[in-house]
Short mmCIF file of all heavy atoms in Angstrom, two decimals:
data_model
loop_
_atom_site.label_atom_id
_atom_site.label_comp_id
_atom_site.label_asym_id
_atom_site.label_seq_id
_atom_site.Cartn_x
_atom_site.Cartn_y
_atom_site.Cartn_z
N PHE A 1045 144.55 23.37 33.73
CA PHE A 1045 144.36 23.34 35.21
C PHE A 1045 145.41 24.25 35.88
O PHE A 1045 145.12 25.01 36.73
CB PHE A 1045 144.56 21.98 35.79
CG PHE A 1045 143.41 21.05 35.57
CD1 PHE A 1045 143.58 19.64 35.55
CD2 PHE A 1045 142.12 21.48 35.47
CE1 PHE A 1045 142.53 18.76 35.37
CE2 PHE A 1045 141.06 20.69 35.29
CZ PHE A 1045 141.23 19.27 35.24
N LEU A 1046 146.69 24.25 35.29
CA LEU A 1046 147.72 25.01 35.86
C LEU A 1046 147.50 26.49 35.61
O LEU A 1046 147.72 27.34 36.56
CB LEU A 1046 149.08 24.63 35.29
CG LEU A 1046 150.31 25.25 35.89
CD1 LEU A 1046 150.41 24.99 37.29
CD2 LEU A 1046 151.58 24.89 35.09
N PHE A 1047 147.00 26.86 34.45
CA PHE A 1047 146.73 28.28 34.18
C PHE A 1047 145.66 28.79 35.16
O PHE A 1047 145.86 29.86 35.71
CB PHE A 1047 146.16 28.45 32.73
CG PHE A 1047 145.63 29.72 32.38
CD1 PHE A 1047 146.61 30.83 32.15
CD2 PHE A 1047 144.34 30.05 32.31
CE1 PHE A 1047 146.12 32.14 31.90
CE2 PHE A 1047 143.83 31.36 32.01
CZ PHE A 1047 144.74 32.36 31.81
N PHE A 1048 144.57 28.10 35.32
CA PHE A 1048 143.53 28.47 36.25
C PHE A 1048 143.97 28.49 37.71
O PHE A 1048 143.60 29.34 38.46
CB PHE A 1048 142.32 27.70 36.03
CG PHE A 1048 141.47 28.16 34.87
CD1 PHE A 1048 141.55 27.40 33.67
CD2 PHE A 1048 140.82 29.34 34.79
CE1 PHE A 1048 140.89 27.85 32.51
CE2 PHE A 1048 140.12 29.78 33.70
CZ PHE A 1048 140.17 29.03 32.53
N ALA A 1049 144.92 27.51 38.06
CA ALA A 1049 145.47 27.54 39.40
C ALA A 1049 146.23 28.85 39.65
O ALA A 1049 146.14 29.39 40.69
CB ALA A 1049 146.37 26.26 39.50
N GLY A 1050 147.03 29.30 38.61
CA GLY A 1050 147.73 30.49 38.72
C GLY A 1050 146.77 31.69 38.94
O GLY A 1050 147.02 32.67 39.63
N LEU A 1051 145.60 31.72 38.13
CA LEU A 1051 144.66 32.81 38.29
C LEU A 1051 144.11 32.91 39.76
O LEU A 1051 143.97 33.90 40.38
CB LEU A 1051 143.56 32.68 37.29
CG LEU A 1051 143.86 32.90 35.80
CD1 LEU A 1051 142.68 32.76 34.96
CD2 LEU A 1051 144.61 34.17 35.56
N PHE A 1052 143.78 31.71 40.26
CA PHE A 1052 143.24 31.67 41.63
C PHE A 1052 144.36 32.02 42.61
O PHE A 1052 144.05 32.62 43.73
CB PHE A 1052 142.68 30.32 41.90
CG PHE A 1052 141.22 30.17 41.50
CD1 PHE A 1052 140.96 29.50 40.25
CD2 PHE A 1052 140.25 30.68 42.17
CE1 PHE A 1052 139.65 29.44 39.79
CE2 PHE A 1052 138.89 30.53 41.76
CZ PHE A 1052 138.69 29.96 40.60
N GLU A 1053 145.61 31.77 42.28
CA GLU A 1053 146.70 32.18 43.14
C GLU A 1053 146.75 33.73 43.17
O GLU A 1053 146.97 34.40 44.23
CB GLU A 1053 148.06 31.71 42.73
CG GLU A 1053 149.14 32.05 43.73
CD GLU A 1053 150.55 31.76 43.27
OE1 GLU A 1053 150.76 31.33 42.10
OE2 GLU A 1053 151.47 31.99 44.10
N ILE A 1054 146.50 34.37 42.09
CA ILE A 1054 146.46 35.82 42.04
C ILE A 1054 145.29 36.31 42.92
O ILE A 1054 145.40 37.23 43.69
CB ILE A 1054 146.21 36.29 40.66
CG1 ILE A 1054 147.37 36.00 39.71
CG2 ILE A 1054 145.98 37.85 40.62
CD1 ILE A 1054 147.07 36.18 38.15
N GLY A 1055 144.19 35.54 42.85
CA GLY A 1055 143.04 35.98 43.65
C GLY A 1055 143.31 35.92 45.20
O GLY A 1055 142.90 36.83 45.88
N TRP A 1056 144.03 34.86 45.58
CA TRP A 1056 144.21 34.85 47.08
C TRP A 1056 145.33 35.73 47.40
O TRP A 1056 145.28 36.33 48.61
CB TRP A 1056 144.36 33.41 47.56
CG TRP A 1056 145.62 32.59 47.17
CD1 TRP A 1056 145.70 31.65 46.40
CD2 TRP A 1056 146.90 32.66 47.85
NE1 TRP A 1056 146.95 31.11 46.34
CE2 TRP A 1056 147.70 31.71 47.29
CE3 TRP A 1056 147.41 33.46 48.92
CZ2 TRP A 1056 149.00 31.49 47.63
CZ3 TRP A 1056 148.71 33.28 49.28
CH2 TRP A 1056 149.52 32.25 48.62
N ALA A 1057 146.32 35.96 46.61
CA ALA A 1057 147.37 36.91 46.88
C ALA A 1057 146.84 38.39 47.10
O ALA A 1057 147.07 39.02 48.09
CB ALA A 1057 148.50 36.94 45.93
N ILE A 1058 145.99 38.77 46.20
CA ILE A 1058 145.33 40.08 46.28
C ILE A 1058 144.32 40.13 47.31
O ILE A 1058 144.19 41.14 48.09
CB ILE A 1058 144.67 40.51 44.92
CG1 ILE A 1058 145.79 40.72 43.83
CG2 ILE A 1058 143.78 41.71 45.00
CD1 ILE A 1058 146.70 41.89 44.05
N GLY A 1059 143.57 38.94 47.46
CA GLY A 1059 142.63 38.86 48.54
C GLY A 1059 143.11 39.16 49.95
O GLY A 1059 142.41 39.67 50.82
N LEU A 1060 144.37 38.63 50.20
CA LEU A 1060 145.03 38.86 51.49
C LEU A 1060 145.05 40.29 51.93
O LEU A 1060 144.81 40.62 53.03
CB LEU A 1060 146.45 38.30 51.53
CG LEU A 1060 146.63 36.75 51.49
CD1 LEU A 1060 148.05 36.40 51.32
CD2 LEU A 1060 146.07 36.24 52.83
N LYS A 1061 145.25 41.21 50.89
CA LYS A 1061 145.29 42.61 51.20
C LYS A 1061 143.97 43.13 51.74
O LYS A 1061 143.83 43.97 52.64
CB LYS A 1061 145.64 43.39 50.00
CG LYS A 1061 145.81 44.88 50.14
CD LYS A 1061 147.13 45.13 50.83
CE LYS A 1061 147.34 46.68 50.83
NZ LYS A 1061 148.45 47.02 51.65
N TYR A 1062 142.86 42.56 51.19
CA TYR A 1062 141.49 42.95 51.60
C TYR A 1062 140.89 42.33 52.88
O TYR A 1062 139.88 42.71 53.32
CB TYR A 1062 140.55 42.75 50.43
CG TYR A 1062 140.95 43.69 49.29
CD1 TYR A 1062 141.65 43.23 48.25
CD2 TYR A 1062 140.45 45.00 49.23
CE1 TYR A 1062 141.95 44.12 47.10
CE2 TYR A 1062 140.77 45.84 48.18
CZ TYR A 1062 141.52 45.37 47.15
OH TYR A 1062 141.85 46.23 46.09
N THR A 1063 141.60 41.25 53.35
CA THR A 1063 141.13 40.59 54.60
C THR A 1063 141.42 41.43 55.78
O THR A 1063 140.78 41.10 56.82
CB THR A 1063 141.69 39.16 54.77
OG1 THR A 1063 143.21 39.36 55.00
CG2 THR A 1063 141.50 38.23 53.47
N ASP A 1064 142.21 42.34 55.76
CA ASP A 1064 142.64 43.15 56.91
C ASP A 1064 143.01 42.32 58.03
O ASP A 1064 142.50 42.34 59.16
CB ASP A 1064 141.49 44.11 57.27
CG ASP A 1064 141.85 45.27 58.22
OD1 ASP A 1064 143.11 45.60 58.14
OD2 ASP A 1064 141.09 45.71 58.97
N GLY A 1065 143.99 41.41 57.81
CA GLY A 1065 144.46 40.51 58.81
C GLY A 1065 143.55 39.45 59.13
O GLY A 1065 143.40 39.01 60.34
N PHE A 1066 142.77 38.96 58.23
CA PHE A 1066 141.64 38.03 58.30
C PHE A 1066 140.55 38.41 59.45
O PHE A 1066 139.94 37.65 60.15
CB PHE A 1066 142.26 36.65 58.77
CG PHE A 1066 143.18 36.00 57.71
CD1 PHE A 1066 144.49 36.06 57.86
CD2 PHE A 1066 142.65 35.50 56.60
CE1 PHE A 1066 145.33 35.57 56.92
CE2 PHE A 1066 143.41 34.93 55.66
CZ PHE A 1066 144.77 35.04 55.81
N THR A 1067 140.36 39.72 59.44
CA THR A 1067 139.27 40.20 60.34
C THR A 1067 138.04 40.56 59.55
O THR A 1067 136.96 40.83 60.24
CB THR A 1067 139.83 41.54 61.11
OG1 THR A 1067 140.12 42.52 60.08
CG2 THR A 1067 140.98 41.23 62.04
N ARG A 1068 138.03 40.55 58.22
CA ARG A 1068 136.85 40.81 57.48
C ARG A 1068 136.35 39.54 56.94
O ARG A 1068 137.07 38.84 56.13
CB ARG A 1068 137.17 41.83 56.37
CG ARG A 1068 137.62 43.25 57.05
CD ARG A 1068 137.98 44.28 56.01
NE ARG A 1068 136.84 44.53 55.16
CZ ARG A 1068 136.94 44.90 53.92
NH1 ARG A 1068 138.11 44.90 53.31
NH2 ARG A 1068 135.84 45.09 53.13
N LEU A 1069 135.05 39.11 57.28
CA LEU A 1069 134.58 37.79 56.88
C LEU A 1069 134.57 37.53 55.41
O LEU A 1069 135.11 36.54 54.94
CB LEU A 1069 133.18 37.68 57.49
CG LEU A 1069 132.59 36.27 57.20
CD1 LEU A 1069 133.38 35.15 57.80
CD2 LEU A 1069 131.21 36.24 57.74
N VAL A 1070 133.88 38.36 54.60
CA VAL A 1070 133.73 38.03 53.14
C VAL A 1070 135.02 37.95 52.36
O VAL A 1070 135.32 36.95 51.77
CB VAL A 1070 132.70 39.02 52.48
CG1 VAL A 1070 132.66 38.78 50.99
CG2 VAL A 1070 131.34 38.84 53.12
N PRO A 1071 135.97 38.91 52.55
CA PRO A 1071 137.29 38.76 51.93
C PRO A 1071 138.03 37.57 52.38
O PRO A 1071 138.72 36.85 51.58
CB PRO A 1071 138.05 40.08 52.25
CG PRO A 1071 136.87 41.04 52.47
CD PRO A 1071 135.81 40.26 53.17
N THR A 1072 137.90 37.33 53.66
CA THR A 1072 138.67 36.07 54.18
C THR A 1072 138.04 34.76 53.54
O THR A 1072 138.83 33.98 53.16
CB THR A 1072 138.54 36.08 55.78
OG1 THR A 1072 139.13 37.20 56.28
CG2 THR A 1072 139.11 34.80 56.32
N VAL A 1073 136.78 34.68 53.52
CA VAL A 1073 136.18 33.45 52.90
C VAL A 1073 136.56 33.36 51.44
O VAL A 1073 136.92 32.24 50.96
CB VAL A 1073 134.65 33.45 53.12
CG1 VAL A 1073 133.95 32.37 52.24
CG2 VAL A 1073 134.32 33.31 54.53
N LEU A 1074 136.49 34.40 50.69
CA LEU A 1074 136.91 34.34 49.27
C LEU A 1074 138.37 34.08 49.11
O LEU A 1074 138.76 33.37 48.16
CB LEU A 1074 136.59 35.71 48.69
CG LEU A 1074 135.05 35.97 48.47
CD1 LEU A 1074 134.83 37.48 47.90
CD2 LEU A 1074 134.38 35.00 47.62
N THR A 1075 139.22 34.63 49.97
CA THR A 1075 140.58 34.29 49.99
C THR A 1075 140.98 32.93 50.19
O THR A 1075 141.72 32.24 49.52
CB THR A 1075 141.36 35.31 50.86
OG1 THR A 1075 141.15 36.70 50.47
CG2 THR A 1075 142.89 35.04 50.87
N VAL A 1076 140.39 32.41 51.26
CA VAL A 1076 140.70 30.98 51.63
C VAL A 1076 140.08 30.01 50.53
O VAL A 1076 140.75 29.09 50.22
CB VAL A 1076 140.07 30.67 53.01
CG1 VAL A 1076 140.17 29.19 53.31
CG2 VAL A 1076 140.87 31.43 54.08
N THR A 1077 138.99 30.39 49.97
CA THR A 1077 138.45 29.57 48.87
C THR A 1077 139.35 29.62 47.69
O THR A 1077 139.60 28.52 47.11
CB THR A 1077 136.98 30.14 48.56
OG1 THR A 1077 136.12 30.06 49.62
CG2 THR A 1077 136.43 29.27 47.39
N SER A 1078 139.92 30.78 47.35
CA SER A 1078 140.84 30.83 46.28
C SER A 1078 142.12 30.01 46.51
O SER A 1078 142.61 29.49 45.56
CB SER A 1078 141.18 32.37 46.03
OG SER A 1078 140.16 33.07 45.39
N MET A 1079 142.54 30.04 47.74
CA MET A 1079 143.67 29.20 48.17
C MET A 1079 143.40 27.69 47.90
O MET A 1079 144.25 27.00 47.26
CB MET A 1079 144.09 29.36 49.57
CG MET A 1079 144.66 30.74 49.91
SD MET A 1079 144.91 30.80 51.75
CE MET A 1079 145.68 32.43 51.94
N ILE A 1080 142.19 27.30 48.31
CA ILE A 1080 141.90 25.83 48.16
C ILE A 1080 141.82 25.53 46.62
O ILE A 1080 142.30 24.45 46.33
CB ILE A 1080 140.57 25.57 48.93
CG1 ILE A 1080 140.83 25.65 50.47
CG2 ILE A 1080 140.08 24.16 48.65
CD1 ILE A 1080 139.63 25.64 51.33
N VAL A 1081 141.09 26.28 45.95
CA VAL A 1081 140.91 26.01 44.46
C VAL A 1081 142.21 26.02 43.76
O VAL A 1081 142.53 25.14 43.02
CB VAL A 1081 139.88 27.05 43.87
CG1 VAL A 1081 139.84 26.91 42.36
CG2 VAL A 1081 138.51 26.87 44.41
N SER A 1082 143.10 27.02 44.18
CA SER A 1082 144.37 27.11 43.49
C SER A 1082 145.21 25.82 43.69
O SER A 1082 145.81 25.27 42.75
CB SER A 1082 145.18 28.33 43.97
OG SER A 1082 146.45 28.43 43.38
N LEU A 1083 145.34 25.47 44.98
CA LEU A 1083 146.08 24.28 45.33
C LEU A 1083 145.54 23.04 44.77
O LEU A 1083 146.27 22.11 44.33
CB LEU A 1083 146.34 24.23 46.84
CG LEU A 1083 147.19 25.28 47.41
CD1 LEU A 1083 147.17 25.17 49.03
CD2 LEU A 1083 148.61 25.02 46.92
N THR A 1084 144.21 22.81 44.78
CA THR A 1084 143.60 21.73 44.13
C THR A 1084 143.89 21.59 42.62
O THR A 1084 144.25 20.51 42.13
CB THR A 1084 142.04 21.78 44.33
OG1 THR A 1084 141.76 21.80 45.69
CG2 THR A 1084 141.36 20.59 43.70
N LEU A 1085 143.78 22.69 41.90
CA LEU A 1085 144.03 22.71 40.52
C LEU A 1085 145.57 22.45 40.19
O LEU A 1085 145.89 21.73 39.31
CB LEU A 1085 143.64 23.99 39.87
CG LEU A 1085 142.08 24.31 39.78
CD1 LEU A 1085 141.85 25.71 39.25
CD2 LEU A 1085 141.52 23.22 38.84
N LEU A 1086 146.47 22.98 41.08
CA LEU A 1086 147.81 22.74 40.98
C LEU A 1086 148.14 21.14 41.12
O LEU A 1086 148.80 20.52 40.35
CB LEU A 1086 148.65 23.45 41.97
CG LEU A 1086 150.23 23.19 42.04
CD1 LEU A 1086 150.87 23.47 40.73
CD2 LEU A 1086 150.85 23.96 43.15
N GLY A 1087 147.44 20.65 42.12
CA GLY A 1087 147.61 19.17 42.43
C GLY A 1087 147.17 18.32 41.19
O GLY A 1087 147.81 17.44 40.80
N LEU A 1088 146.04 18.75 40.61
CA LEU A 1088 145.50 18.03 39.35
C LEU A 1088 146.49 18.23 38.14
O LEU A 1088 146.71 17.22 37.45
CB LEU A 1088 144.08 18.55 39.02
CG LEU A 1088 143.05 18.28 40.00
CD1 LEU A 1088 141.75 18.90 39.58
CD2 LEU A 1088 142.84 16.76 40.11
N ALA A 1089 146.97 19.35 38.02
CA ALA A 1089 148.02 19.57 36.90
C ALA A 1089 149.19 18.78 37.11
O ALA A 1089 149.87 18.34 36.10
CB ALA A 1089 148.32 21.12 36.94
N LEU A 1090 149.65 18.49 38.35
CA LEU A 1090 150.85 17.66 38.56
C LEU A 1090 150.71 16.20 38.20
O LEU A 1090 151.70 15.46 38.16
CB LEU A 1090 151.29 17.79 40.06
CG LEU A 1090 151.76 19.12 40.41
CD1 LEU A 1090 152.12 19.18 41.96
CD2 LEU A 1090 152.99 19.46 39.69
N LYS A 1091 149.44 15.79 37.86
CA LYS A 1091 149.37 14.40 37.44
C LYS A 1091 149.95 14.13 36.07
O LYS A 1091 150.41 13.05 35.83
CB LYS A 1091 147.79 14.07 37.30
CG LYS A 1091 147.06 13.95 38.60
CD LYS A 1091 145.61 13.56 38.32
CE LYS A 1091 144.96 13.20 39.65
NZ LYS A 1091 144.70 11.84 39.81
N ALA A 1092 150.24 15.14 35.26
CA ALA A 1092 150.84 15.05 33.96
C ALA A 1092 152.05 16.00 33.69
O ALA A 1092 152.66 15.81 32.67
CB ALA A 1092 149.84 15.15 32.83
N LEU A 1093 152.27 16.89 34.63
CA LEU A 1093 153.39 17.92 34.38
C LEU A 1093 154.49 17.63 35.43
O LEU A 1093 154.17 17.29 36.55
CB LEU A 1093 152.81 19.25 34.47
CG LEU A 1093 151.78 19.68 33.53
CD1 LEU A 1093 151.31 21.16 33.81
CD2 LEU A 1093 152.27 19.61 32.09
N PRO A 1094 155.74 17.97 35.10
CA PRO A 1094 156.80 17.85 36.01
C PRO A 1094 156.56 18.88 37.08
O PRO A 1094 156.18 20.10 36.88
CB PRO A 1094 158.04 18.21 35.20
CG PRO A 1094 157.63 18.18 33.78
CD PRO A 1094 156.19 18.36 33.71
N VAL A 1095 156.95 18.49 38.31
CA VAL A 1095 156.65 19.38 39.48
C VAL A 1095 157.39 20.73 39.46
O VAL A 1095 156.92 21.68 39.79
CB VAL A 1095 156.83 18.60 40.82
CG1 VAL A 1095 158.37 18.23 41.10
CG2 VAL A 1095 156.30 19.36 42.01
N GLY A 1096 158.66 20.63 39.03
CA GLY A 1096 159.44 21.83 39.01
C GLY A 1096 158.93 22.81 38.03
O GLY A 1096 158.83 24.02 38.29
N THR A 1097 158.55 22.41 36.82
CA THR A 1097 158.00 23.22 35.80
C THR A 1097 156.72 23.82 36.20
O THR A 1097 156.45 24.99 36.19
CB THR A 1097 157.86 22.50 34.54
OG1 THR A 1097 159.20 22.01 34.04
CG2 THR A 1097 157.22 23.34 33.40
N ALA A 1098 155.78 22.83 36.73
CA ALA A 1098 154.42 23.35 37.11
C ALA A 1098 154.49 24.31 38.19
O ALA A 1098 153.87 25.34 38.25
CB ALA A 1098 153.55 22.11 37.50
N TYR A 1099 155.31 24.07 39.24
CA TYR A 1099 155.46 25.04 40.40
C TYR A 1099 155.90 26.37 39.87
O TYR A 1099 155.41 27.37 40.35
CB TYR A 1099 156.25 24.42 41.54
CG TYR A 1099 156.34 25.27 42.71
CD1 TYR A 1099 155.20 25.32 43.59
CD2 TYR A 1099 157.35 26.13 42.97
CE1 TYR A 1099 155.31 26.20 44.69
CE2 TYR A 1099 157.39 26.89 44.01
CZ TYR A 1099 156.35 26.92 44.96
OH TYR A 1099 156.44 27.84 46.04
N ALA A 1100 157.00 26.32 39.09
CA ALA A 1100 157.56 27.61 38.64
C ALA A 1100 156.47 28.40 37.76
O ALA A 1100 156.42 29.62 37.92
CB ALA A 1100 158.87 27.32 37.84
N VAL A 1101 155.77 27.68 36.92
CA VAL A 1101 154.84 28.45 36.14
C VAL A 1101 153.63 28.91 37.07
O VAL A 1101 153.25 30.07 36.88
CB VAL A 1101 154.25 27.49 34.96
CG1 VAL A 1101 153.10 28.13 34.35
CG2 VAL A 1101 155.30 27.15 34.02
N TRP A 1102 153.23 28.11 37.96
CA TRP A 1102 152.16 28.50 38.85
C TRP A 1102 152.51 29.71 39.68
O TRP A 1102 151.78 30.75 39.68
CB TRP A 1102 151.81 27.36 39.81
CG TRP A 1102 150.88 27.59 40.90
CD1 TRP A 1102 149.53 27.77 40.77
CD2 TRP A 1102 151.04 27.60 42.26
NE1 TRP A 1102 148.86 27.90 41.90
CE2 TRP A 1102 149.78 27.75 42.98
CE3 TRP A 1102 152.19 27.43 43.07
CZ2 TRP A 1102 149.70 27.88 44.31
CZ3 TRP A 1102 152.07 27.50 44.45
CH2 TRP A 1102 150.77 27.72 45.03
N THR A 1103 153.74 29.80 40.22
CA THR A 1103 154.11 30.94 40.98
C THR A 1103 154.40 32.12 40.05
O THR A 1103 154.21 33.31 40.51
CB THR A 1103 155.44 30.59 41.83
OG1 THR A 1103 156.48 30.17 40.98
CG2 THR A 1103 155.07 29.55 42.89
N GLY A 1104 154.90 31.83 38.89
CA GLY A 1104 155.15 32.91 37.95
C GLY A 1104 153.85 33.63 37.46
O GLY A 1104 153.80 34.91 37.47
N ILE A 1105 152.80 32.85 37.27
CA ILE A 1105 151.47 33.41 36.88
C ILE A 1105 151.00 34.21 38.11
O ILE A 1105 150.57 35.41 37.97
CB ILE A 1105 150.57 32.42 36.51
CG1 ILE A 1105 150.83 31.72 35.13
CG2 ILE A 1105 149.08 32.95 36.43
CD1 ILE A 1105 150.03 30.47 34.87
N GLY A 1106 151.16 33.74 39.22
CA GLY A 1106 150.74 34.40 40.44
C GLY A 1106 151.51 35.70 40.66
O GLY A 1106 151.03 36.70 41.07
#
Side-chain angles (χ1 to χ4, degrees):
F1045 286 153
L1046 186 61
F1047 173 75
F1048 284 103
L1051 294 182
F1052 278 96
E1053 185 188 5
I1054 297 166
W1056 69 258
I1058 292 295
L1060 285 171
K1061 184 73 171 177
Y1062 293 98
T1063 66
D1064 198 26
F1066 297 105
T1067 60
R1068 298 178 60 214
L1069 181 61
V1070 172
T1072 296
V1073 169
L1074 292 173
T1075 298
V1076 171
T1077 301
S1078 289
M1079 289 176 176
I1080 292 167
V1081 172
S1082 181
L1083 288 172
T1084 299
L1085 290 171
L1086 175 62
L1088 292 174
L1090 290 175
K1091 287 182 174 255
L1093 299 176
V1095 68
T1097 300
Y1099 184 76
V1101 170
W1102 177 67
T1103 58
I1105 292 169

